[in-house]
Every structure is written in structure tokens, then in C-alpha cells.
């Protein structure tokens, strides 16, 4: 029976970026997972990708996980073997829950393990963030927990918090509309310049949000999740946005915001209110004739996990 050169399985969490004011720098990992199995076989660099659970994910050289995998091999001057990649997709595609970041992180982590783990997670973060263009989804997808990540000189600076105590009574309720919104489209509507008032509004809230989460001042999240840099421009792409945010807060969420570039919305809620918050957001979307579903997710505290050698 022939054996592969390597066989690696990687499970990568979904992520929710921005959390309101932390545009391109704050994110959390969530307990919804994509799982990749990557096998290398002797032979030339042929590629076979199979996807279970999603439509529209490229199964050729355009696949992001493959490109990220190949990049790590290139950095180490190692030729690619024949690759078989299998994806169990659970994270909605172009939904605002970090599906492309999960693919990139799956690719770099699998390649690193296939090569015997020559790179640290911080080094993998630099590669993954370069692919994605911003670090706020790839950081939580790699590390888990709550992450603050931004570009320093030529590398990503990231601090992540994974303490279970931090999130003990904080549950993520996401409302996922049944339509896709590509990040490029949601970034294209943003203005090139913003006023100082709006910049000050956001820096104050981003700082307050980090402090509120770390000190468990959840009562501050409603204000701290406010944003003027992206949500005001993106809401025209998401019918029902404002009423669903308001509905989440009326139903007992501490705060709510657009998840990444949308169209999913994220509410952070006490455990006792999660069902009501999910139902309220879905009902508000329905009133705006947008079919949606809700999911109650915990914060993932482990990030990308790998099995195999
Ligand atoms: N920070 C990014 C954005 C996340 O809002 O465009 C989406 O990938």
C-alpha cells in the first residue's frame, strides 16, 4: 500500500473582525471550523482539491489555502510534491466570518507541519497577513481568543488573549444573511479620507473596547462597539443592518456590530439572552426581506490546531 510523504489535518476557527471600531486590527475566534486535510505524494506538483460543504471555492491554483501552502514551501526552497487537499467547509463563504483567512491559515499551518515546523506562529502570522492584506482575521484564526494585531515595521505586532475567565459570560450570537458580500466590494465603498472627528470617535472606542473586554466591563460594550469608519458606508450593502443591530441590543446583547466586512452581524451577549438576541436579529432581517439564520457561538480559545506529520 503506497504511503503519502505527509498527511496533515488542520482545523481552523472562524473569526469576527473589527468588533465595531477596531477596523483592520481587532478580532475574535469563534467555535465554527473549517477542516483541511493535506497529503503530499511522490511525483510532480499536481493538485487535486475536493470541497465538501460549500460552493464557489476554487479547486485549482487560485485556491487560497493552496497558494498559502505553496508560499511556505517556496520560502524554504522546497519543491511541491503532488498535493491532495480536502476541505470540510463550515464557515460561510464571503459571509464576514473569516472564511478566506481560515483558508490561508490552514494552508500555512499545514505546510509548516509538512516541513517539520520550521516556522513559529508569529512568522506564519506575517505570511498569512500579507496574503490577506490585514491581520484582524488571520490573527485570531491562528492564535484563538481575542486579538489586537497591526503592522509594525515589516511585520505584524499581535497580542492575543485566550483566558477562559475573560469570556466566561460572553457569548457570540451571529446573524448570517443568506447572501454573499465579497470583502473587495465592501472595502470599495469606504472613503479614502475620514474626518478627525470620526477618527477620534473610533480611536476612543477601540481603546475602550479593549479595556472593557479585558476588565469585563461588559456594560460598556454598547458604546465601545460603535464605529464611524466603515459601518456607515457598508450598511447600504446590507438591508436591515441598523434595525438588526438595534434589535440585538433591545433583546439584551451588550453590544453588536458588523462582523468583518459583513453581511453577518455579531452580537456579544450574556449567556441567558443568546436565543432572544439571535431571534431578534433574524426577525429584523426578515422584516427587511433578507432571509438569515442565527448561530450561538463560543469564543474559540485555541486557534488553528494541527494533527499529523
Ligand atoms: N477588517 C476587514 C474589513 C475585515 O473590514 O474590511 C474583512 O476581511
Amino acid at each position: 500500500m503506497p504511503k503519502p510523504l505527509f498527511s496533515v489535518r488542520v482545523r481552523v476557527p472562524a473569526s469576527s473582525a473589527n468588533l465595531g471600531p477596531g477596523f483592520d486590527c481587532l478580532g475574535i475566534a469563534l467555535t465554527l471550523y473549517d477542516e483541511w486535510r493535506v497529503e503530499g505524494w511522490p511525483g510532480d506538483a499536481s493538485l487535486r482539491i475536493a470541497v465538501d460543504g460549500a460552493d464557489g471555492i476554487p479547486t485549482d491554483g487560485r485556491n487560497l489555502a493552496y497558494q498559502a501552502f505553496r508560499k511556505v514551501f517556496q520560502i524554504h526552497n522546497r519543491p511541491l510534491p503532488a498535493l491532495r487537499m480536502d476541505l470540510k467547509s463550515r464557515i460561510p463563504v464571503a459571509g464576514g466570518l473569516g472564511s478566506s483567512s481560515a483558508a490561508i491559515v490552514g494552508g500555512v499551518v499545514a505546510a509548516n507541519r509538512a516541513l517539520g515546523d520550521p516556522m513559529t506562529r508569529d512568522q506564519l502570522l506575517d505570511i498569512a497577513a500579507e496574503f490577506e492584506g490585514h491581520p484582524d482575521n488571520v490573527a485570531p484564526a491562528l492564535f484563538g481568543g481575542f486579538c489586537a494585531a497591526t503592522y509594525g515595521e515589516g511585520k505584524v505586532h499581535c497580542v492575543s488573549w485566550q483566558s477562559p475567565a475573560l469570556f466566561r459570560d460572553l457569548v457570540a450570537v451571529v446573524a448570517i444573511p443568506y447572501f454573499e458580500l465579497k470583502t473587495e466590494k465592501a472595502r470599495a465603498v469606504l472613503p479614502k479620507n475620514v474626518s478627525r472627528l470620526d477618527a477620534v470617535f473610533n480611536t476612543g472606542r477601540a481603546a475602550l473596547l479593549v479595556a472593557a473586554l479585558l476588565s469585563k466591563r461588559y456594560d460598556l460594550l454598547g458604546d465601545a462597539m460603535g464605529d464611524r469608519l466603515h459601518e456607515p458606508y457598508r450598511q447600504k450593502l446590507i438591508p436591515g443592518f441598523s434595525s438588526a443591530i438595534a434589535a440585538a441590543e433591545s433583546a439584551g446583547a451588550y453590544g453588536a456590530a458588523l462582523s468583518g466586512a459583513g453581511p453577518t452581524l455579531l452580537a456579544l451577549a450574556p449567556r441567558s439572552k443568546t436565543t432572544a438576541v439571535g431571534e431578534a436579529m433574524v426577525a429584523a432581517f426578515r422584516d427587511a426581506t433578507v432571509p438569515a439564520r442565527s448561530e450561538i457561538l463560543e469564543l474559540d480559545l485555541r486557534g488553528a490546531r494541527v494533527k499529523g506529520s
Side-chain angles (χ1 to χ4, degrees):
M1 189 75 178
K3 277 196 162 179
L5 302 168
F6 57 81
S7 178
V8 182
R9 274 185 21 221
V10 187
R11 196 180 78 152
V12 190
S15 52
S16 181
N18 302 330
L19 308 177
F23 183 71
D24 280 0
C25 62
L26 297 180
I28 51 175
L30 299 171
T31 52
L32 176 69
Y33 301 94
D34 276 357
E35 196 169 317
W36 283 95
R37 193 180 65 206
V38 183
E39 287 182 356
W41 290 83
D44 59 7
S46 62
L47 174 65
R48 196 218 66 188
I49 299 177
V51 176
D52 166 32
D55 296 324
I57 295 177
T59 55
D60 55 19
R62 293 168 301 163
N63 184 282
L64 277 175
Y66 164 72
Q67 290 182 4
F69 187 98
R70 185 180 60 187
K71 179 77 184 174
V72 174
F73 267 60
Q74 280 168 349
I75 287 170
H76 292 275
N77 289 320
R78 293 283 292 273
L80 279 182
L83 283 178
R84 289 189 195 164
M85 305 179 74
D86 292 282
L87 168 65
K88 267 195 203 140
S89 167
R90 300 288 172 266
I91 305 172
V93 176
L97 287 169
S99 61
S100 58
S101 287
I104 293 164
V105 166
V108 296
V109 170
N112 195 44
R113 173 55 60 94
L115 293 174
D117 287 328
M119 301 181 97
T120 64
R121 289 237 160 174
D122 282 340
Q123 290 171 320
L124 295 179
L125 175 62
D126 286 337
I127 301 170
E130 195 181 324
F131 257 93
E132 185 67 302
H134 38 86
D136 48 342
N137 285 106
V138 287
L142 252 180
F143 296 115
F146 168 45
C147 297
T150 193
Y151 286 104
E153 280 172 21
K155 74 175 286 10
V156 177
H157 295 308
C158 173
V159 177
S160 61
W161 293 270
Q162 287 95 357
S163 161
L166 213 53
F167 304 121
R168 197 149 280 144
D169 191 34
L170 199 62
V171 181
V173 185
V174 291
I176 308 170
Y178 288 110
F179 69 90
E180 292 186 1
L181 176 55
K182 294 233 184 287
T183 299
E184 308 90 77
K185 184 173 173 191
R187 289 178 88 86
V189 299
L190 304 182
K192 287 216 170 4
N193 298 297
V194 297
S195 72
R196 187 168 68 188
L197 277 181
D198 288 351
V200 169
F201 181 99
N202 266 63
T203 50
R205 275 160 184 78
L208 186 67
L209 177 57
V210 174
L213 284 172
L214 296 189
S215 57
K216 296 193 240 174
R217 285 290 309 276
Y218 301 148
D219 58 304
L220 295 173
L221 292 182
D223 275 340
M225 290 174 79
D227 165 75
R228 285 192 190 162
L229 294 188
H230 65 107
E231 289 181 354
Y233 309 99
R234 287 172 162 171
Q235 55 178 289
K236 62 179 177 235
L237 302 173
I238 305 162
F241 168 87
S242 306
S243 52
I245 296 275
E249 289 173 350
S250 304
Y254 295 120
L258 189 62
S259 180
T264 293
L265 302 187
L266 166 80
L268 295 176
R271 203 164 291 281
S272 59
K273 305 281 187 187
T274 50
T275 305
V277 168
E279 285 173 1
M281 285 196 286
V282 168
F285 271 130
R286 192 168 48 238
D287 288 346
T289 67
V290 175
R293 72 176 198 276
S294 67
E295 289 206 25
I296 296 165
L297 302 171
E298 303 286 332
L299 288 132
D300 168 277
L301 302 178
R302 305 179 74 163
R305 291 179 64 199
V306 60
K307 292 182 185 166
S309 56

